[in-house]
């Protein structure tokens, strides 16, 4: 009774610890979904800028090398931005699907593995999203020089550059405000390895071993009553009997389980014959 109560207490503690870890998993999952949605919007904007933009002819410029250079910078930036945003969408989708599948359908301890995996992958996803955002603004800087006069182009270019600098300073300010020591984070590893550590009892092998003993098959090899027990349990080869008697130590295969059932049937037939006699 005490063993059952102890096992129930460990199971309850482990279930509650897993529920707490699930909150952290949902936090990372929601963050990935938010970033993935914004990246998809930016990817759509990049495609529109790539397809709908019609640059003027190079003949309108005094020096052909200038529009060719601006077009080269623009298309490289907008293509790179599109690829970076698509990469973010792909990463967040894969992490969300596979992470949730591992957390819910995986083996024991999968919730911790999935949560830690999402946490370690977030830096790569956020960096790719930042690259896509900066490259989108850089493409705007180059495209204003193709469509507008130099006065308007200069003002728009300054506005875009100030926006990029403001984004950088805002990022550093927010990171500094919400930064914390990673070594002081809440960790549930001590609970899973300590009070909530549950070791499964090999019930099936134990029951089969008891069934073999009840049928007269011992796990030892040097007893004097081995011949009588083999004679009572049926005609079985010594090699096969020795393999069955070690069922409590090794994993029983289908052939060994069938042997146990066959010995039980032989015991029942022997008992009926003895009763008839």
């Amino acid at each position: 009774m005490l063993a059952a109560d102890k096992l129930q207490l460990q199971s309850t503690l482990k279930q509650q610890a897993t529920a707490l870890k699930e909150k952290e998993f949902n936090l990372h999952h929601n963050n990935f979904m938010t970033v993935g949605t914004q990246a998809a919007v930016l990817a759509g904007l990049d495609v529109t800028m790539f397809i709908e933009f019609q640059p003027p002819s190079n003949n309108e410029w005094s020096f052909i090398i200038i529009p060719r250079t601006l077009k080269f910078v623009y298309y490289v930036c907008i293509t790179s931005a599109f690829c970076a945003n698509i990469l973010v969408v792909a990463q967040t989708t894969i992490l969300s699907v596979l992470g949730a599948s591992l957390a819910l359908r995986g083996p024991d301890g999968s919730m911790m593995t999935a949560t830690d995996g999402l946490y370690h992958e977030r830096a790569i996803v956020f960096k790719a999203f930042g690259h896509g955002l900066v490259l989108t603004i850089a493409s705007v800087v180059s495209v204003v020089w193709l469509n507008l006069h130099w006065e308007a182009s200069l003002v728009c270019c300054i506005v875009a550059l100030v926006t990029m600098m403001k984004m950088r300073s805002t990022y550093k300010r927010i990171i500094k405000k919400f930064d914390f020591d990673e070594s002081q984070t809440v960790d549930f590893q001590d609970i899973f390895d300590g009070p909530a550590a549950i070791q499964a009892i090999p019930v099936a092998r134990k029951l089969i071993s008891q069934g073999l003993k009840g049928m007269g098959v011992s796990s030892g090899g040097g007893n004097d009553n081995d011949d009588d027990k083999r004679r009572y349990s049926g005609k079985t080869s010594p090699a096969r009997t020795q393999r069955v008697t070690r069922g409590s130590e090794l994993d029983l295969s289908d052939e060994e389980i069938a042997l146990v059932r066959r010995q039980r049937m032989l015991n029942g037939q022997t008992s009926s014959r003895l009763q008839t006699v």
Side-chain angles (χ1 to χ4, degrees):
M1 184 64 182
L2 292 177
D5 293 339
K6 179 181 178 181
L7 186 61
Q8 183 179 4
L9 178 61
Q10 290 177 333
S11 301
T12 303
L13 181 61
K14 191 169 187 178
Q15 183 179 6
Q16 294 177 355
T18 304
L20 293 177
K21 197 67 176 179
E22 185 180 1
K23 293 182 178 180
E24 183 181 358
F25 176 84
N26 292 331
L27 172 64
H28 298 317
H29 185 271
N30 293 333
N31 291 339
F32 280 132
M33 295 303 295
T34 302
V35 174
T37 302
Q38 300 300 324
V41 174
L42 288 176
L45 176 62
D46 295 335
V47 170
T48 303
M49 294 176 62
F50 184 85
I51 297 176
E52 298 297 333
F53 174 66
Q54 299 294 334
S57 176
N58 297 336
N59 298 326
E60 299 180 5
W61 294 75
S62 301
F63 300 95
I64 300 178
I65 189 63
I66 296 177
R68 292 185 61 180
T69 303
L70 292 175
K71 291 178 183 179
F72 174 79
V73 174
Y74 170 74
Y75 283 110
V76 168
C77 290
I78 200 65
T79 304
S80 301
F82 172 75
C83 293
N85 290 319
I86 288 297
L87 180 62
V88 172
V89 174
Q91 288 178 335
T92 53
T93 302
I94 294 174
L95 288 173
S96 300
V97 173
L98 297 184
S101 177
L102 175 62
L104 297 179
R105 303 179 65 251
D108 190 15
S110 297
M111 181 62 70
M112 295 187 62
T113 304
T115 304
D116 295 338
L118 293 182
Y119 181 78
H120 293 154
E121 291 290 334
R122 69 188 182 95
I124 301 175
V125 175
F126 293 164
K127 185 179 295 185
F129 178 76
H131 289 166
L133 191 60
V134 171
L135 289 171
T136 301
I137 299 178
S139 63
V140 175
V141 173
S142 60
V143 77
V144 294
W145 290 99
L146 289 172
N147 285 341
L148 306 177
H149 295 287
W150 70 270
E151 302 89 351
S153 300
L154 181 61
V155 173
C156 294
C157 182
I158 293 175
V159 171
L161 292 177
V162 170
T163 302
M164 294 178 63
M165 296 176 60
K166 185 64 176 179
M167 288 173 53
R168 184 171 179 270
S169 61
T170 302
Y171 172 77
K172 290 186 174 181
R173 176 176 54 85
I174 295 176
I175 287 296
K176 185 178 180 180
K177 179 179 295 185
F178 294 98
D179 190 20
F180 59 92
D181 190 2
E182 294 291 342
S183 62
Q184 298 179 358
T185 56
V186 180
D187 190 10
F188 301 99
Q189 191 65 37
D190 53 344
I191 298 178
F192 284 94
D193 294 340
I198 303 176
Q199 296 181 355
I201 301 175
V203 180
R205 288 186 292 175
K206 186 176 180 181
L207 293 176
I208 293 175
S209 178
Q210 292 178 356
L212 290 174
K213 291 181 180 179
M215 287 162 34
V217 180
S218 62
S219 58
N223 296 331
D224 296 333
N225 297 329
D226 285 346
D227 296 336
D228 297 337
K229 291 178 181 179
R230 291 193 185 95
R231 197 178 303 116
Y232 176 76
S233 60
K235 297 180 180 180
T236 308
S237 62
R240 180 172 293 184
T241 304
Q242 183 179 2
R243 185 173 57 184
V244 175
T245 55
R246 291 184 299 177
S248 59
E249 298 177 1
L250 303 175
D251 293 334
L252 295 178
S253 60
D254 296 338
E255 182 181 356
E256 292 170 341
I257 294 176
L259 176 61
V260 173
R261 294 177 179 175
R262 191 181 301 111
Q263 289 176 345
R264 289 182 178 177
M265 294 175 60
L266 293 175
N267 289 338
Q269 294 177 2
T270 305
S271 299
S272 61
R273 292 176 182 175
L274 291 175
Q275 292 177 0
T276 303
V277 174

